[in-house]
Amino acid sequence: MLTRNCLSLLLWVLFDGGLLTPLQPQPQQTLATEPRENVIHLPGRRPHFQRVKRGWVWNQFFVLEEYMGSEPQYVGKLHSDLDKGEGTVKYTLSGDGAGTVFTIDETTGDIHAIRSLDREEKPFYTLRAQAVDIETRKPLEPESEFIIKVQDINDNEPKFLDGPYIASVPEMSPVGAYVLQVKATDADDPTYGNSARVVYSILQGQPYFSIDPKTGVIRTALPNMDREVKEQYQVLIQAKDMGGQLGGLAGTTIVNITLTDVNDNPPRFPKSIFHLKVPESSPIGSAIGRIRAVDPDFGQNAEIEYNIVPGDGGNLFDIVTDEDTQEGVIKLKKPLDFETKKAYTFKVEASNLHLDHRFHSAGPFKDTATVKISVLDVDEPPVFSKPLYTMEVYEDTPVGTIIGAVTAQDLDVGSSAVRYFIDWKSDGDSYFTIDGTEGTIATNELLDRESTAQYNFSIIASKVSNPLLTSRVNILINVLDVNEFPPEISVPYETAVCENAKPGQIIQIVSAADRDLSPAGQQFSFKLSPEAAIKPNFTVRDFRNNTAGIETQRNGYSRRQQELYFLPVVIEDSSYPVQSSTNTMTIRVCRCDSDGTILSCNVEAIFLPVGLSTGALIAILLCIIILLAIVVLYVALRRQKKKDTLMTSKEDIRDNVIHYDDEGGGEEDTQAFDIGALRNPKVIEDNKIRRDIKPDSLCLPRQRPPVEDNTDIRDFINQRLQENDMDPAAPPYDSLATYAYEGNGSAADSLSSIESLTTEADQDYNYLTDWGPRFKVLADMFGEEESYNPDKVT
């Protein structure tokens, strides 16, 4: 306990000397010096008239972290001036860790830490102390705060939070070239002792690299480190606290350093001569061989450009760089021929594309090698004497006429005969034939230039000794024109002339077109036809440049007198035989303004000087149409009225039935009631024919009904009724014939005046009163006439 108190006193003296200051100083607080232990003095109460000094005197307490003792660690002591040692004062503690981390003796005021503390977890604790009367439980002094700081010990080693590290530095760098800076972090208190002062060192990686002990900057330690010798380095870095002294804690990390490439090596060919063998049949542009120069550098520093040194064979070959393999690919620029030359020799130069000026002094960054190419003989197909054959033939040339020939030879040793034939795919219509031995081409059909002006097909030549070896050539045959079509006027065939045109005015420029293939320099001539040259209204002026102008010959033209003029123009060509044609141009007379601008050429313009507009003409036409419609309607009504008059005439006996105001369904109503009851039952036959449709034409003889004992009129009506019923050609709906007979058994007999007495005076109408109420009006009418008859007055 004495040792612990002495240590606490020593720490108190250090803080009191100004090495450490309170966290929250208060103006009325002072420092109390205790020679043996940390004590907080609480001054006792004074009378109110005396000057009182503040009772709380405090400072910071300190407690060691990571305390491993078996008893609680003593921190300090609280004491009040009012405490006389009689046990009447009780000390209390509150705040951070009160009761869980720190405890206080309520009687003595001693403070202890009851568990091990870690400064890195919590560096200090803020607590509140108070002295109270043990009996009254009232505070003797106001509550005040104080701090207990955790005293740091070196219990944390430095750590590289960003490790392991990856770095790079260019190869061939000088000594001291910057590589990387590392940093280690120590969790101990940097303000107390050397626990957090870190020193760096290299444990592995010397003598290539060095490190600054204080800053942790890694630099190169050897000059001209070559990537091609060693590219990867692994450096072990140590960070030690306590300033690197013995007993300090240490942490390590790994730094992987890569030497990046620089162009410090030129390309080199592994051998000075390259031998290649190439068949003479190799196509142009094909790769015939590869050579390679070795460059130990990497990436773009190893990119190589190959060039052929001008000399023998340089114009036949080309070399390019393969981007993936950095090889030089030799390609063929022109065809090879074993029979002409069997070997070629040239030089190839390899150089770097991206040079580094720091290494120019090392020498030229290029190398040269010799390439020897041997041409191998190959059995080749025949070779045509021309790459393209062009021939000409006149149209309508007789079939079988030879128009040209092709020639192919076998250039190999031991020349073979050649056979020719036309490629049927390119000359499907077989307009031409070829002699298989001689190679002559002849026509196989009549040619027409206007149908096809040019023929293009292929001819194949094969060796007799090896028919599989073939070559082909294109044949271009132009069909020459024979002058068989006359020239014609190009559009337009119609032009216009102003009414106010002056003589000698050009109203239209015309040109000619010829369906024949016109040779260079062909001329067309223009003139009027002979019949139109007599007192012409217009003439043709030939400009001698294949064009002509239509020229006026009169002073003004009138549309009222003549609206259209037809001008025959004769055109001749200059070919042989001369062909000519007469073309008729239509010239329309138009109304123009003073500047010659055409205003109108249609029919409407003729009426414009009279003062009628388009709207007026439309109105006139509408009036005419309306008048015609009225006339047609009037005529139709007249015809209908005349027809009605004829049907209502009293001379038509059949209409008398209609005037009786029958309330039946009408003539067309054949379903409302059976009209057979109105017919004479004596003339109804078993064969009833429908009246609503036209029956089929039947050749039935007309039968005359037997004559009854009636009057002549009744017999006549019955006869007509019978004929109409039996006639299949009678028009439909003619039901008027069915109402002529009223049937037998009528008590009033017939109402027709035909069977009436000769005079109305002899007629007695008194019986009408016996017919009932329906005939009362009729009975009254005839009864009044009878009573008023003067002939009966006596």
Side-chain angles (χ1 to χ4, degrees):
M1 179 64 70
L2 180 61
T3 303
R4 191 164 57 244
N5 292 339
C6 292
L7 180 60
S8 300
L9 178 61
L10 177 62
L11 293 176
W12 183 84
V13 170
L14 291 176
F15 281 101
D16 184 57
L19 296 179
L20 294 176
T21 58
L23 292 179
Q24 298 179 354
Q26 299 181 4
Q28 297 181 356
Q29 295 172 346
T30 59
L31 298 178
T33 303
E34 180 68 32
R36 288 174 298 180
E37 57 184 2
N38 293 335
V39 179
I40 295 180
H41 292 277
L42 302 176
R45 296 183 181 272
R46 298 290 187 269
H48 65 276
F49 54 87
Q50 295 181 356
R51 184 176 181 182
V52 180
K53 186 177 180 182
R54 181 78 177 180
W56 282 105
V57 180
W58 62 276
N59 202 340
Q60 294 177 343
F61 286 149
F62 294 90
V63 59
L64 292 176
E65 68 170 337
E66 304 295 342
Y67 175 74
M68 304 301 295
S70 59
E71 296 181 0
Q73 182 181 1
Y74 178 77
V75 177
K77 182 180 182 65
L78 292 179
H79 182 73
S80 174
D81 293 341
L82 300 179
D83 186 5
K84 303 303 183 179
E86 298 176 352
T88 59
V89 178
K90 178 182 179 181
Y91 298 94
T92 62
L93 190 66
S94 61
D96 294 342
T100 58
V101 179
F102 302 99
T103 60
I104 187 170
D105 190 319
E106 296 179 351
T107 304
T108 62
D110 293 334
I111 301 174
H112 292 81
I114 59 176
R115 73 175 190 181
S116 178
L117 303 179
D118 188 359
R119 190 200 68 84
E120 288 72 34
E121 180 180 347
K122 189 174 180 65
F124 64 89
Y125 295 84
T126 302
L127 294 99
R128 294 182 299 277
Q130 191 173 37
V132 298
D133 189 286
I134 195 171
E135 295 179 356
T136 62
R137 301 293 182 178
K138 293 183 179 180
L140 299 177
E141 294 292 340
E143 187 179 58
S144 184
E145 289 184 353
F146 65 96
I147 295 174
I148 299 179
K149 295 190 65 175
V150 181
Q151 185 67 47
D152 182 51
I153 63 173
N154 189 19
D155 59 343
N156 293 282
E157 73 278 2
K159 294 181 179 180
F160 293 92
L161 301 180
D162 297 330
Y165 297 87
I166 298 176
S168 63
V169 63
E171 65 172 334
M172 311 302 291
S173 296
V175 176
Y178 177 84
V179 179
L180 179 69
Q181 183 178 14
V182 297
K183 184 177 181 180
T185 302
D186 196 322
D188 292 328
D189 189 358
T191 63
Y192 179 75
N194 294 327
S195 298
R197 190 162 69 89
V198 179
V199 175
Y200 301 96
S201 61
I202 293 180
L203 301 182
Q204 175 184 333
Q206 296 175 337
Y208 305 105
F209 300 95
S210 64
I211 189 170
D212 190 297
K214 295 182 179 180
T215 62
V217 175
I218 302 175
R219 301 180 183 274
T220 57
L222 286 180
N224 301 326
M225 287 189 292
D226 193 355
R227 185 195 67 84
E228 288 74 31
V229 176
K230 186 176 181 181
E231 182 178 6
Q232 298 287 339
Y233 294 87
Q234 190 175 77
V235 180
L236 181 62
I237 303 297
Q238 173 184 270
K240 190 174 184 181
D241 59 11
M242 299 298 293
Q245 298 177 4
L246 185 64
L249 302 179
T252 59
T253 188
I254 294 176
V255 180
N256 294 312
I257 301 176
T258 302
L259 296 182
T260 59
D261 185 59
V262 296
N263 192 8
D264 58 338
N265 295 285
R268 292 286 182 265
F269 284 106
K271 55 185 179 180
S272 60
I273 300 177
F274 292 88
H275 294 274
L276 300 176
K277 294 182 179 181
V278 182
E280 63 173 339
S281 60
S282 299
I284 297 175
S286 61
I288 61 175
R290 290 173 175 257
I291 62 175
R292 182 179 181 180
V294 179
D295 190 335
D297 291 327
F298 178 77
Q300 69 174 10
N301 296 321
E303 293 181 1
I304 303 174
E305 181 183 18
Y306 296 91
N307 292 286
I308 295 178
V309 178
D312 181 27
N315 58 344
L316 291 176
F317 305 96
D318 192 13
I319 188 169
V320 295
T321 303
D322 188 331
E323 300 294 338
D324 297 329
T325 62
Q326 294 299 315
E327 293 178 320
V329 181
I330 301 176
K331 294 185 177 182
L332 192 62
K333 291 174 59 177
K334 295 181 180 180
L336 300 176
D337 187 7
F338 175 81
E339 289 72 24
T340 303
K341 192 172 183 178
K342 299 178 176 58
Y344 296 90
T345 302
F346 54 90
K347 291 184 177 182
V348 175
E349 182 182 81
S351 60
N352 282 134
L353 287 176
H354 307 281
L355 300 179
D356 194 333
H357 63 279
R358 296 178 298 176
F359 305 102
H360 284 177
S361 59
F365 277 72
K366 61 177 64 177
D367 196 13
T368 304
T370 301
V371 178
K372 292 185 176 181
I373 296 180
S374 300
V375 181
L376 302 179
D377 187 23
V378 177
D379 193 7
E380 297 175 303
V383 179
F384 284 95
S385 59
K386 296 180 181 180
L388 174 67
Y389 289 86
T390 301
M391 303 176 185
E392 295 180 347
V393 59
Y394 281 97
E395 62 178 337
D396 298 331
T397 299
V399 176
T401 303
I402 296 176
I403 59 176
V406 296
T407 304
Q409 295 180 352
D410 181 15
L411 302 179
D412 292 331
V413 178
S415 175
S416 172
V418 179
R419 292 291 180 267
Y420 306 95
F421 56 92
I422 295 177
D423 186 3
W424 63 270
K425 294 182 180 179
S426 60
D427 186 31
D429 294 333
S430 301
Y431 287 101
F432 305 94
T433 60
I434 188 171
D435 187 285
T437 304
E438 302 295 333
T440 57
I441 300 174
T443 60
N444 195 37
E445 294 183 10
L446 289 177
L447 306 178
D448 184 10
R449 192 205 66 81
E450 285 70 32
S451 175
T452 305
Q454 190 178 75
Y455 294 89
N456 189 354
F457 57 93
S458 299
I459 290 181
I460 300 176
S462 64
K463 296 173 65 171
V464 174
S465 59
N466 189 357
L468 297 178
L469 295 177
T470 61
S471 60
R472 69 178 59 234
V473 68
N474 287 335
I475 308 297
L476 188 64
I477 299 178
N478 295 317
V479 181
L480 302 181
D481 184 45
V482 175
N483 193 23
E484 54 183 341
F485 294 100
E488 298 176 351
I489 288 181
S490 301
V491 292
Y493 278 91
E494 182 175 339
T495 185
V497 63
C498 295
E499 287 183 313
N500 55 358
K502 304 298 182 182
Q505 181 178 346
I506 301 298
I507 63 173
Q508 180 67 47
I509 302 296
V510 296
S511 60
D514 195 340
R515 287 187 292 169
D516 293 317
L517 181 61
S518 301
Q522 183 176 5
Q523 293 291 327
F524 298 107
S525 61
F526 302 83
K527 63 181 179 180
L528 278 180
S529 63
E531 63 273 11
I534 302 173
K535 294 182 180 182
N537 294 306
F538 302 91
T539 187
V540 178
R541 182 189 298 179
D542 193 349
F543 295 138
R544 305 298 180 183
N545 60 353
N546 290 343
T547 62
I550 307 301
E551 183 179 357
T552 59
Q553 295 292 304
R554 289 174 49 184
N555 186 11
Y557 298 85
S558 175
R559 286 178 296 164
R560 296 177 180 274
Q561 295 178 1
Q562 186 173 351
E563 183 183 0
L564 297 176
Y565 291 89
F566 300 97
L567 183 66
V569 180
V570 178
I571 307 176
E572 294 182 353
D573 59 17
S574 59
S575 300
Y576 182 83
V578 175
Q579 298 286 348
S580 65
S581 65
T582 301
N583 302 264
T584 301
M585 290 194 62
T586 302
I587 302 175
R588 184 180 298 275
V589 181
C590 299
R591 185 170 67 91
C592 306
D593 58 10
S594 59
D595 297 332
T597 303
I598 296 176
L599 299 179
S600 179
C601 292
N602 51 22
V603 179
E604 173 193 345
I606 300 178
F607 297 96
L608 291 180
V610 183
L612 295 178
S613 63
T614 303
L617 292 175
I618 295 174
I620 292 173
L621 292 176
L622 288 177
C623 291
I624 293 174
I625 293 172
I626 292 173
L627 290 175
L628 290 176
I630 292 173
V631 171
V632 172
L633 182 60
Y634 176 75
V635 173
L637 291 176
R638 291 283 296 176
R639 290 183 178 180
Q640 182 67 25
K641 184 176 181 181
K642 184 177 180 181
K643 182 177 180 181
D644 294 341
T645 304
L646 293 175
M647 292 183 65
T648 58
S649 175
K650 292 185 178 181
E651 295 177 0
D652 192 349
I653 301 174
R654 295 175 297 176
D655 291 344
N656 296 337
V657 179
I658 298 175
H659 285 282
Y660 288 128
D661 298 328
D662 190 346
E663 298 181 359
E667 295 180 359
E668 298 180 3
D669 189 2
T670 60
Q671 303 296 330
F673 58 90
D674 186 7
I675 63 175
L678 299 178
R679 298 179 180 176
N680 189 352
K682 297 181 179 180
V683 298
I684 297 178
E685 299 294 334
D686 295 336
N687 186 14
K688 296 181 180 180
I689 301 176
R690 293 185 60 181
R691 310 293 296 184
D692 57 343
I693 60 174
K694 183 177 180 179
D696 297 334
S697 299
L698 298 175
C699 297
L700 298 177
R702 292 192 178 184
Q703 300 179 2
R704 298 181 64 87
V707 181
E708 298 292 334
D709 295 335
N710 297 328
T711 61
D712 295 336
I713 298 301
R714 181 172 299 176
D715 295 340
F716 173 77
I717 292 174
N718 290 334
Q719 180 180 350
R720 291 294 184 180
L721 180 61
Q722 179 97 6
E723 291 177 356
N724 281 280
D725 288 340
M726 301 301 296
D727 188 2
Y733 309 115
D734 190 7
S735 59
L736 296 177
T738 63
Y739 297 105
Y741 179 66
E742 299 179 1
N744 296 328
S746 175
D749 293 332
S750 177
L751 296 178
S752 176
S753 61
I754 299 176
E755 296 182 353
S756 300
L757 298 177
T758 305
T759 62
E760 293 183 359
D762 299 333
Q763 192 71 264
D764 185 9
Y765 298 102
N766 292 328
Y767 60 88
L768 294 176
T769 58
D770 299 333
W771 287 4
R774 296 184 179 180
F775 297 93
K776 184 177 182 303
V777 177
L778 185 62
D780 293 342
M781 288 173 51
F782 285 93
E784 290 177 0
E785 292 180 0
E786 182 179 0
S787 62
Y788 190 71
N789 192 349
D791 295 336
K792 290 189 175 184
V793 179
T794 57

